[in-house]
Amino acid sequence: MNDTSAVKDALRRQQIETPSWAYGNSGTRFKVFAQQGVPRTPQEKIDDAAQVHRFTGVAPSVAVHIPWDKVDDYAALSAHAEDRGVRIGAVNTNVFQDDDYKLGSVTNPDPKVRRKALDHLLECVDIMDAVGSKDLKLWFSDGTNYPGQDDIRTRQDRMAEALAAVYERLGDDQRFLLEYKLFEPAFYMTDLPDWGASYAHCLKLGPKAQVVVDTGHHAPGTNIEFIVAFLLREGKLGGFDFNSRFYADDDLMVGAADPFQLFRIMYEVVRGGGYDPATGVAFMLDQCHNIEPKIHGQIRSVMNVQEATAKALLVDGDALRAAQESGDVLAANAVFMDAYNTDVRPLLAELREEMGLHPDPVAAYKASGYFERVVAERKDGQAAGWGA
Ligand code: AOS
Ligand code: ZN
Ligand code: ZN
C-alpha cells in the first residue's frame, strides 16, 4: 500500500489491547520494585489503561486477569471501563498460582486438581458473559521438570479433555485463544510447547479455538513471522501477546529488542489479511514494566506497534511482487527494506492531529499531570499479581 491516506485510514482503525497487569508492580524472582502511584484495585488499573487510550487513540480495550482482577460485580467493572472510555477485552485465566498446581493444572495426575482448574476456566467464561468479552486467553504453566516424571501422552489426553470442555461452554460469538510457550516454569517438558501443539488442539476443536502468538515464547532465532503467515493462512491466528525478549520470556516493551522483527511480523499480518477486523486478530500487549514507569511504558509500546504497522502498510506490494516473480532477490529485499527504513513518525503525528490527539502522546501524557495526581492519591499500590 503506497497511498498515504489509505495507510492512515488503516492505522486509524487499529486497536491495541493493554493488559491490566502491566499497570501493577512487577519484577523478577529476585525482587519486585514498588513504584509510586500504581493502582490499588482493578478499577484503578482500568483508569490507567484509559490514559493510554486517551493519548494514543488506538488502545480502546484492556485485558483482565482472573483472579488478579477479581471483583464482586463484573457488570459494574465493565460499566466502569465504559465510563472511562474503554472496554474490557480478553479474560485471562490463571491456573498457575495455587499450591495445588505444583504438578500441573488441567494435566495434573490428580483428578481433583484437574477439576479445580477446569472449574476456574469455566468460571472465566461466566465472567466473559458478564463483561461482554469475546476472548478467553488460556496459558498453562503445565509441564514436567524431570524425564519420566509423568506420562507425556496421558498429559496430552488430559489437556485435550479440558480444552474440549471449555470449548463446549463458549457462546456463539466467543472463542478461546490458546497460548504456547517453550519452557518455564517447567524446564524439561511443557505440555503446550509450540505453535504446532496449540494448533493441533485447536484444529480438532473447531473455529472457536485459535492460537495466540506470544512473541517472547520461542527459542532464540525462531522465525516468528513464518508462524504468523502459516497460522493466518489456516485461519487459526487468534492474536498476539506482544512483548520483547533478549533471552527468555523477558516481557520487555514490544519493539524494544528487535523492531525489525516486529515489522516483519506486522508485514505478514497485513499480507495475510490479518489486519482486516473481520479476521479478528487480537493485538494484545503482555508486558511488565519492572523498572520503567508503567503508563508511559504502555504508551511507548502502543506507539512501537503503530510504527511497525505503518511501515508494514507502506511496503509497495506491486513492486515487491514484480521483483519476487522475476526472481530479483536484491530488488525484492530493497522494496522491503525501503518500507522498514521509512521514518513514519511524521505520518503518525499527522494522523494523531487528524484524530484530534496531541501529535506526541508521551509529551501530552506527561503534561497532563495524571501521574502526579495518582502518586498523591494512591498509597500502597498493588502488585501485578505474581512474584510480590
Ligand atoms: C506467561 O508466560 C504467559 O505469557 C501468559 O500470557 C501470562 O498469563 C501473562 O504473562 C501474565 O502473567
Ligand atoms: Zn503471554
Ligand atoms: Zn509469557
Side-chain angles (χ1 to χ4, degrees):
M1 202 184 288
N2 248 344
D3 167 11
T4 321
S5 69
V7 169
K8 277 204 244 167
D9 281 345
L11 289 167
R12 198 173 287 130
R13 292 197 311 268
Q14 189 161 35
Q15 302 200 341
I16 300 161
E17 182 162 306
T18 75
S20 70
W21 55 99
Y23 302 101
N25 282 324
S26 60
T28 65
R29 64 185 188 272
F30 301 105
K31 170 74 181 160
V32 171
F33 296 102
Q35 294 193 17
Q36 289 188 299
V38 304
R40 295 160 298 184
T41 61
Q43 287 81 357
E44 288 182 352
K45 292 180 204 168
I46 289 173
D47 296 347
D48 288 4
Q51 295 301 308
V52 179
H53 184 47
R54 177 178 162 204
F55 294 108
T56 63
V58 292
S61 62
V62 51
V64 294
H65 213 302
I66 308 297
W68 299 341
D69 297 317
K70 199 173 172 57
V71 289
D72 291 334
D73 186 345
Y74 286 100
L77 190 69
S78 177
H80 177 88
E82 264 170 46
D83 184 57
R84 298 296 190 270
V86 290
R87 63 185 152 74
I88 295 178
V91 174
N92 285 250
T93 55
N94 184 328
V95 283
F96 51 87
Q97 272 198 318
D98 290 5
D99 285 341
D100 281 338
Y101 299 139
K102 185 169 78 172
L103 300 180
S105 64
V106 294
T107 63
N108 195 296
D110 181 344
K112 285 197 295 298
V113 178
R114 297 206 293 275
R115 185 68 241 178
K116 171 180 164 164
L118 179 57
D119 284 344
H120 170 74
L121 305 182
L122 298 174
E123 179 206 347
C124 285
V125 186
D126 294 341
I127 295 171
M128 290 169 74
D129 291 341
V131 299
S133 167
K134 296 188 183 329
D135 292 339
L136 180 74
K137 182 126 68 66
L138 301 173
W139 173 66
F140 299 100
S141 60
D142 295 43
T144 58
N145 269 5
Y146 294 99
Q149 179 190 318
D150 198 5
D151 187 62
I152 293 175
R153 280 187 67 131
T154 307
R155 290 176 75 94
Q156 282 301 310
D157 294 341
R158 297 172 188 148
M159 174 64 75
E161 200 181 313
L163 293 176
V166 177
Y167 192 89
E168 275 304 301
R169 167 65 186 85
L170 291 172
D172 289 343
D173 60 346
Q174 294 174 333
R175 61 180 177 170
F176 73 59
L177 306 176
L178 186 59
E179 213 169 329
Y180 57 88
K181 181 173 177 174
L182 182 60
F183 79 101
E184 195 202 26
F187 293 114
Y188 162 61
M189 185 278 300
T190 294
D191 290 306
L192 290 174
D194 56 27
W195 69 270
S198 284
Y199 172 74
H201 281 285
C202 289
L203 192 63
K204 213 168 244 178
L205 288 168
K208 291 189 283 181
Q210 292 192 306
V211 181
V212 60
V213 175
D214 183 311
T215 46
H217 286 188
H218 309 85
T222 299
N223 184 331
I224 299 175
E225 59 269 29
F226 171 82
I227 299 170
V228 170
F230 187 95
L231 290 175
L232 259 175
R233 187 169 176 277
E234 299 298 327
K236 280 293 182 197
L237 180 68
F240 291 95
D241 261 6
F242 280 128
N243 51 56
S244 277
R245 79 192 286 277
F246 285 101
Y247 298 100
D249 189 22
D250 303 351
D251 283 348
L252 297 174
M253 291 193 306
V254 58
D258 191 347
F260 184 42
Q261 180 190 60
L262 183 59
F263 160 76
R264 300 191 313 261
I265 290 172
M266 288 311 303
Y267 171 74
E268 289 306 333
V269 169
V270 172
R271 166 70 185 87
Y275 198 68
D276 179 346
T279 317
V281 174
F283 300 101
M284 303 172 287
L285 304 181
D286 179 10
Q287 302 183 173
C288 303
H289 303 290
N290 300 346
I291 57 168
E292 68 275 23
K294 296 162 197 302
I295 299 172
H296 183 166
Q298 286 289 290
I299 292 176
R300 182 71 257 167
S301 305
V302 167
M303 292 170 71
N304 287 351
V305 175
Q306 256 189 321
E307 284 173 22
T309 308
K311 291 177 184 204
L313 289 165
L314 280 170
V315 171
D316 183 339
D318 293 340
L320 184 61
R321 232 173 345 268
Q324 288 171 342
E325 282 166 12
S326 65
D328 193 338
V329 175
L330 294 182
N333 180 244
V335 171
F336 210 65
M337 295 311 293
D338 273 350
Y340 176 65
N341 288 318
T342 308
D343 183 358
V344 293
R345 290 172 299 179
L347 176 116
L348 285 165
E350 219 175 87
L351 170 72
R352 290 185 192 110
E353 284 186 315
E354 288 172 15
M355 290 169 74
L357 298 166
H358 191 286
D360 181 345
V362 170
Y365 164 68
K366 282 188 167 176
S368 73
Y370 182 84
F371 181 65
E372 291 72 15
R373 183 158 67 75
V374 293
V375 167
E377 277 173 16
R378 301 173 181 170
K379 299 293 170 207
D380 302 322
Q382 249 185 22
W386 66 102

